[in-house]
Amino acid sequence: MSHVDLATQFTLHRFPKMKEDTPLQAWEAADEYLLQQLEGETVADGATLIFNDAFGALTCALHGRQPVSVSDSWIAHQAARQNLALNQLDCEQVTFQDCSAPLPAAPALVIIKLPKQLALLEQQLRALREVCTAQTRIIAGAKARDIHSSTLALFESVLGPTTTTLAWKKARLVNCSFAAPALKAAAPLLSWPLDGTDWTIQNHANVFSRSSLDIGARLFLPHLPEGDAGEMVDLGCGNGVLGLALLAQNPDARVTFIDESYMAVASSELNVQHNMPDALERCEFVVNNAMAGMAPEYYDAIMCNPPFHQQHAITDHIAWQMFTDARRCLKFGGELRIVGNRHLGYYQKLKKIFGNCTTLATGGKFVVLKSVKMRKSR
């Protein structure tokens, strides 16, 4: 937990909560820079939209404007709620919505924390184009290293004239004026055929490895369960490729697709509908932080291709939570199978959590591992 002065002093921490000695903070210099830029400015009455507020720092600071917080991250929304409550701010004064929901018309102020994926930024800017006016104040921020010529060109092409500020504490801002330049239409989904199948995989803007099958999943696919029944999970499902394979190879099983990205879960559901519509009745689609709050000792098998970053920060605490949640939710005798980079040391982590770990496959930098939930010997 840390304290930061964002016009008013707030107590903020990341979500999920991390150890007190973590060097990672719940805000960054770009948050401070954005708010400094607004000091002394007169912003007209009207809706305030905040995009991609990672842990709620901007939402807390601008709480008095009753903002709309737009994000593809369920975790980001939970973090904002947590930090609003921590600072005795009414969560009911903030509207939380995912990136597919319609935006309020004629917003007075738009603040954007630049996302990691340029495709997500384009989707958000195109949505803004439909509601902004010439009077809308549009300002974006990020680490200076993450603002590229392609970033500025995207603002210019979708919204209008764009400038950038000098760097401050290694952060930089983007100021944009809405002018509705001529713009070609763009498909909201990116699709590609999955090798070895007749499936077409469709991906919303913020899905991991949106343009092709990622290397880890390619190694993982031949090592999924076959011919089993029961309750299975594609944890951190992304576009749902692993879950699709589970449905096809285990016709008597049910599969739950889980991700913290709204777009990932929507992509998974779309891919089942498009490629295996008869299997929809065997599916559940859940937006969640790993398997938080889900039934213990209920699932027979969990597949996981865990992330090793949160926004731009490299961290293993998300994978660790996925593994510990998996053990809690598995039946005794149930198994967790994962794929990950060899250098991340997942073998040792699984051995510590489950008491056992087997290597199923290795390839390049990746490894496929399996652990079984066993009763502890007395």
Side-chain angles (χ1 to χ4, degrees), residues 3-8 12 25-39 53 57-58 61 111 113 139 141-142 168-169 171-173:
H3 302 276
V4 61
D5 192 352
L6 302 172
T8 302
L12 304 170
Q25 297 177 326
W27 78 93
E28 58 184 14
D31 297 315
E32 298 176 80
Y33 202 2
L34 282 163
L35 294 168
Q36 286 178 15
Q37 185 86 351
L38 294 173
E39 285 182 7
D53 188 10
L58 295 171
I111 296 181
K113 286 293 296 297
I139 180 172
W168 176 80
K169 290 187 178 181
R172 194 181 297 276
L173 303 183

Side-chain angles (χ1 to χ4, degrees), residues 52-364:
N52 313 315
D53 188 10
F55 299 104
L58 295 171
T59 304
C60 287
L62 296 170
H63 174 266
R65 291 188 62 89
Q66 300 183 356
V68 177
S69 176
V70 183
S71 178
D72 183 49
S73 170
W74 188 89
I75 285 178
H77 281 162
Q78 295 306 110
R81 288 187 174 96
Q82 172 182 266
N83 284 320
L84 286 166
L86 189 63
N87 291 279
Q88 290 80 52
L89 299 172
D90 185 3
C91 288
E92 297 300 319
Q93 297 297 307
V94 179
T95 301
F96 294 96
Q97 64 183 56
D98 65 55
C99 297
S100 65
L103 300 174
L109 175 62
V110 173
I111 296 181
I112 305 171
K113 286 293 296 297
L114 295 180
K116 188 174 181 179
Q117 300 287 350
L118 195 65
L120 177 59
L121 177 61
E122 180 173 358
Q123 184 270 342
Q124 293 175 337
L125 295 184
R126 284 179 176 269
L128 279 169
R129 179 185 170 92
E130 301 302 314
V131 298
C132 284
T133 71
Q135 288 71 47
T136 303
R137 175 74 168 97
I138 305 168
I139 180 172
K143 289 183 173 67
R145 71 186 185 198
D146 297 324
I147 299 178
H148 310 288
S149 57
S150 58
T151 313
L152 304 179
L154 187 59
F155 273 88
E156 289 266 6
S157 65
V158 178
L159 295 182
T162 300
T163 60
T164 185
T165 66
L166 296 174
W168 176 80
K169 290 187 178 181
K170 300 182 180 180
R172 194 181 297 276
L173 303 183
V174 175
N175 289 291
C176 183
S177 300
F178 182 65
L183 182 67
K184 294 181 180 179
L189 299 170
L190 184 63
S191 303
W192 38 267
L194 181 62
D195 293 345
T197 73
D198 59 357
W199 297 340
T200 297
I201 304 302
Q202 303 184 71
N203 304 268
H204 285 284
N206 198 39
V207 174
F208 172 69
S209 195
R210 181 175 184 243
S211 60
S212 63
L213 184 66
D214 72 278
I215 300 171
R218 189 176 298 278
L219 178 65
F220 201 176
L221 281 170
H223 301 283
L224 300 178
E226 291 189 50
D228 292 345
E231 297 288 339
M232 298 184 174
V233 176
D234 182 356
L235 179 58
C237 60
N239 55 28
V241 166
L242 297 180
L244 274 171
L246 288 175
L247 288 168
Q249 294 171 191
N250 303 275
D252 295 322
R254 289 179 47 82
V255 177
T256 301
F257 296 77
I258 305 173
D259 205 291
E260 75 96 20
S261 160
Y262 296 98
M263 286 187 175
V265 174
S267 297
S268 291
E269 186 167 9
L270 186 63
N271 285 321
V272 176
Q273 288 173 343
H274 182 78
N275 296 293
M276 296 186 65
D278 292 343
L280 268 174
E281 62 183 14
R282 296 192 283 126
C283 297
E284 185 176 0
F285 302 92
V286 179
V287 182
N288 197 5
N289 170 31
M291 300 183 74
M294 298 184 73
E297 299 180 14
Y298 179 77
Y299 297 95
D300 298 277
I302 298 173
M303 308 297 117
C304 185
N305 185 355
F308 57 92
H309 59 267
Q310 188 173 23
Q311 284 88 46
H312 292 276
I314 296 174
T315 173
D316 69 350
H317 81 280
I318 296 175
W320 189 266
Q321 182 179 354
M322 285 178 159
F323 301 161
T324 54
D325 279 2
R327 189 186 187 283
R328 176 179 57 81
C329 292
L330 281 168
K331 297 175 181 176
F332 288 103
E335 62 179 47
L336 169 67
R337 299 190 191 189
I338 73 146
V339 64
N341 291 79
R342 193 196 310 268
H343 76 275
L344 295 173
Y346 287 156
Y347 183 94
Q348 289 78 13
K349 289 180 174 64
L350 292 176
K351 192 78 177 287
K352 182 174 183 179
I353 294 169
F354 284 84
N356 64 87
C357 186
T358 302
T359 300
L360 299 180
T362 59

